[in-house]
Every structure is written in C-alpha cells, then in structure tokens.
C-alpha cells in the first residue's frame, strides 16, 4: 500500500527490516544501544559487528531520541537507532514519547541528507505498546513530518507478518479519508410542546 504526501511517498510493506535497500533503516533499540532481541537482534546479526562498535561509542540513547551509525553489512548504508517508550498503562506519556521517537528519527535522517528510510513498528514487540494505537501515532507523525519537510522522499513501514500489516493498512486508510464536510448540520425545526 502506497500513498503520496506532498512530494513524498509513504509505503507499507510486509517484510523484514534488515532486507530493506532504503538509505537508512530504523532500529527499535533499547536505551543502552548495546543489543537486544526482536528488531535489534536481527539488525546486529545481519549487519555484523561494526554496527555495535559504533554503538558502544554513543553512550546510550534516551526514550524518544535516536542516534545514527553505519549499516555495516546491511544493504542500507545507515541504521538510525531509535528508542521507543516501554508501555505501562498509557498514562506515562507513552503516546507522546512514541510520536517523538518517530519525529527524532526523521530529523536525524534529514540532518544526514537521507532521502529514503524504513521503519519497523517501534515499541509494539517487547515494549508492549498496543499496535492499533501505535500504528495511528506512527503514521500520523510521519504524515505531519512529510507535509512540512520535503527532503525525505520515501518512508516505508516494514511490518512483520500479515496481522501487523493489516493493522497499519487500516490505520492508514482511516487517516487518509477526506475530512468530513464542514456544513452546518440541518437545524431540527420540530418543537415539542
Ligand atoms: P520494541 O522493543 O520497541 O517493542 P521489538 O523489536 O521487540 O521492539 O518489536 C517491534 C516490532 O518489530 C514488533 O511488532 C515485531 O513483531 C517486529 N519485528 C521483529 N523482527 C522484525 C524484523 N526483522 N523486521 C521487521 N519487524 C520486526
């Protein structure tokens, strides 16, 4: 599924983030940047030890922030390591932090003249963020960014499995629906007496 946002494209695919050939792929990292499971484990396995060598020099990363390294043996020349929030109960700024994580990743891409970037579904694995809510936040944050920043030409979400893909596809369809017309609702003239 692919939509146009201004001059840029936003694409959803089902697949493996480590296989993407965009200039950058985003890692769903943890705050140590020293390795983990899920996306992080897959990226370090596929990309080899040079990524970790750079990560060790970065001094970790706070939730909501993102830092860049080389892509090592990956097809993508860069990895942007982004740390999403751990989901507790939805009352600990998780939604704001998740939006910030996507925004910061895109800012880091822009600062490095990266024009094409792939994201996984950050925080929806080990970090436990409900995926339908996370999908809306992820997509609306990216759409807002692309509307005001023309430098990034392609943002691809790489969803792991059909279920995750369907959740993101439904969320994107909802977000792309034209807004309801702003006509005044018809006045109800009947009066009870
Ligand atoms: P987090 O700790 O931020 O929750 P995880 O890596 O545990 O990150 O999971 C994030 C999401 O990425 C999950 O929905 C998971 O199914 C998905 N995922 C796991 N491996 C891959 C992969 N190789 N490519 C793309 N997505 C993946």
């Amino acid at each position: 599924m692919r939509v146009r946002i201004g001059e840029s494209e936003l694409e959803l695919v089902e697949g493996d983030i480590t296989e993407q050939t965009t200039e950058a792929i985003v890692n769903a990292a943890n705050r140590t940047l020293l390795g983990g499971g899920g996306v992080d484990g897959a990226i370090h396995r596929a990309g080899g030890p040079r990524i970790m060598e750079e990560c060790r020099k970065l001094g970790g990363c706070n939730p909501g922030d993102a830092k860049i390294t080389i892509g090592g043996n990956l097809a993508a020349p860069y990895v942007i390591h982004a740390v999403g929030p751990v989901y507790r109960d939805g009352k600990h700024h998780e939604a704001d932090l998740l939006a910030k994580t996507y925004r910061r990743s895109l800012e880091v891409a822009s600062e490095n003249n990266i024009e094409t970037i792939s994201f996984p579904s950050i925080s929806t694995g080990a970090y436990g963020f409900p995926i339908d809510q996370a999908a809306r936040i992820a997509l609306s944050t990216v759409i807002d960014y692309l509307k005001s920043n023309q430098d990034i030409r392609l943002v691809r979400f790489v969803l792991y499995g059909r279920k995750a893909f369907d959740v993101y596809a439904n969320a994107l369809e909802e977000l792309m629906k034209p807004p309801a017309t702003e006509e005044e609702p018809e006045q109800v003239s009947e009066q009870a007496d």
Side-chain angles (χ1 to χ4, degrees):
M1 180 174 185
R2 187 184 276 210
V3 298
R4 187 160 269 286
I5 313 289
E7 295 297 300
S8 309
E9 271 179 332
L10 170 56
E11 186 179 39
L12 308 182
V13 301
E14 184 187 339
D16 183 340
I17 191 92
T18 64
E19 292 170 4
Q20 304 307 309
T21 57
T22 45
E23 285 170 75
I25 64 170
V26 176
N27 182 11
N30 63 48
R31 57 192 307 159
T32 68
L33 300 186
L34 297 179
V39 172
D40 193 287
I43 286 178
H44 285 290
R45 270 195 304 280
R50 282 184 296 153
I51 301 177
M52 186 56 77
E53 269 170 41
E54 282 200 18
C55 280
R56 283 201 200 92
K57 297 177 194 153
L58 295 175
C61 182
N62 287 325
D65 204 0
K67 296 188 178 178
I68 192 166
T69 68
I70 54 161
N73 303 332
L74 296 169
Y78 297 101
V79 177
I80 296 175
H81 304 265
V83 182
V86 175
Y87 191 89
R88 287 162 69 187
D89 54 6
K91 296 174 186 157
H92 288 80
H93 310 289
E94 292 97 330
D96 289 348
L97 270 173
L98 187 63
K100 195 170 162 217
T101 309
Y102 281 97
R103 221 163 24 241
R104 279 296 300 144
S105 302
L106 292 164
E107 284 167 7
V108 168
S110 292
E111 285 160 14
N112 288 276
N113 302 316
I114 287 163
E115 296 183 345
T116 61
I117 181 169
S118 298
F119 280 97
S121 176
I122 296 171
S123 282
T124 60
Y127 281 5
F129 209 117
I131 191 166
D132 34 358
Q133 207 184 322
R136 280 198 300 274
I137 295 167
L139 292 166
S140 56
T141 304
V142 167
I143 289 169
D144 281 352
Y145 190 89
L146 292 178
K147 280 181 180 165
S148 50
N149 296 271
Q150 259 95 69
D151 52 327
I152 298 189
R153 290 188 295 109
L154 170 68
V155 176
R156 177 182 296 154
F157 278 87
V158 182
L159 290 325
Y160 207 52
R162 187 72 208 179
K163 242 172 135 179
F165 177 85
D166 286 344
V167 171
Y168 271 71
N170 288 336
L172 184 56
E173 257 172 40
E174 278 300 312
L175 288 167
M176 297 306 289
K177 269 189 191 160
T181 52
E182 286 181 17
E183 276 171 40
E184 287 289 312
E186 255 175 61
Q187 292 288 323
V188 181
S189 54
E190 262 177 285
Q191 271 185 351
D193 47 17

